[in-house]
C-alpha cells in the first residue's frame, strides 16, 4: 500500500521515486559503532571482524546473510512474514543440515568460533 501511495504522490507532484532497499540499512547499521583499532603499522585499521553472519529481523522480513567484507555480502536465506526460526530451518535445508535447522546452525557457528 505504501508503494502505491508513493507512486500516486510521484505522479501528482511530478517528483521522481527513488527506490531504496531499507534492509541494507539494517545490514550496515552495526558498523556505525566500529572504532579505529591501532595496528602495528600505525594506520588505525578497523578490527577484522569478517566473515560474519547477520540475521536481520524487521517487521515481516527475516534475512540471513554472510558478509566477507563491507561490500561483499550474500543472502543465504530470506522470508517474508515468517518467524526467524523458520529462516534458520530453510537455510539449514539448503545446506542439507538436519531438521530443525536452528540448533544445528547454532552448533556449527559455535564450533567455527572456537576453531578460529
Amino acid at each position: 500500500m505504501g508503494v502505491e501511495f508513493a507512486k500516486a504522490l510521484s505522479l501528482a507532484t511530478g517528483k521522481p521515486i527513488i527506490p531504496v532497499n531499507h534492509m541494507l540499512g539494517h545490514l550496515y547499521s552495526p558498523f556505525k559503532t566500529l572504532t579505529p583499532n591501532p595496528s602495528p603499522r600505525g594506520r588505525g585499521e578497523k578490527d577484522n571482524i569478517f566473515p560474519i553472519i547477520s540475521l536481520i529481523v524487521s517487521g515481516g522480513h527475516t534475512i540471513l546473510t554472510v558478509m566477507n567484507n563491507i561490500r561483499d555480502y550474500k543472502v543465504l536465506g530470506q522470508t517474508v512474514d515468517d518467524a526467524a526460526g523458520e529462516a534458520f530451518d530453510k537455510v539449514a535445508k539448503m545446506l542439507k543440515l538436519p531438521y530443525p535447522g536452528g540448533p544445528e546452525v547454532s552448533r556449527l557457528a559455535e564450533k567455527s568460533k572456537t576453531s578460529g
Side-chain angles (χ1 to χ4, degrees), residues 13-30:
T13 63
K15 303 281 184 187
I17 292 179
I18 301 171
V20 175
N21 181 348
H22 88 279
M23 297 310 287
L24 288 177
H26 292 293
L27 181 64
Y28 289 119
S29 64

Side-chain angles (χ1 to χ4, degrees), residues 28-35 46:
Y28 289 119
S29 64
F31 298 105
K32 181 177 187 253
T33 61
L34 288 180
T35 57
K46 301 271 187 193

Side-chain angles (χ1 to χ4, degrees), residues 58-76:
S58 174
H61 302 279
T62 303
I63 303 172
L64 186 65
T65 67
V66 62
M67 295 182 78
N68 295 310
N69 62 53
I70 197 75
R71 291 186 183 96
D72 178 19
Y73 71 91
K74 178 180 179 184
V75 174
L76 298 175

Side-chain angles (χ1 to χ4, degrees), residues 37-57:
N37 182 29
S39 72
R41 296 184 186 88
R43 289 189 275 210
E45 296 172 2
K46 301 271 187 193
D47 290 331
N48 185 9
I49 60 170
F50 298 101
I52 60 173
I53 292 180
S54 172
L55 176 64
I56 303 167
V57 180

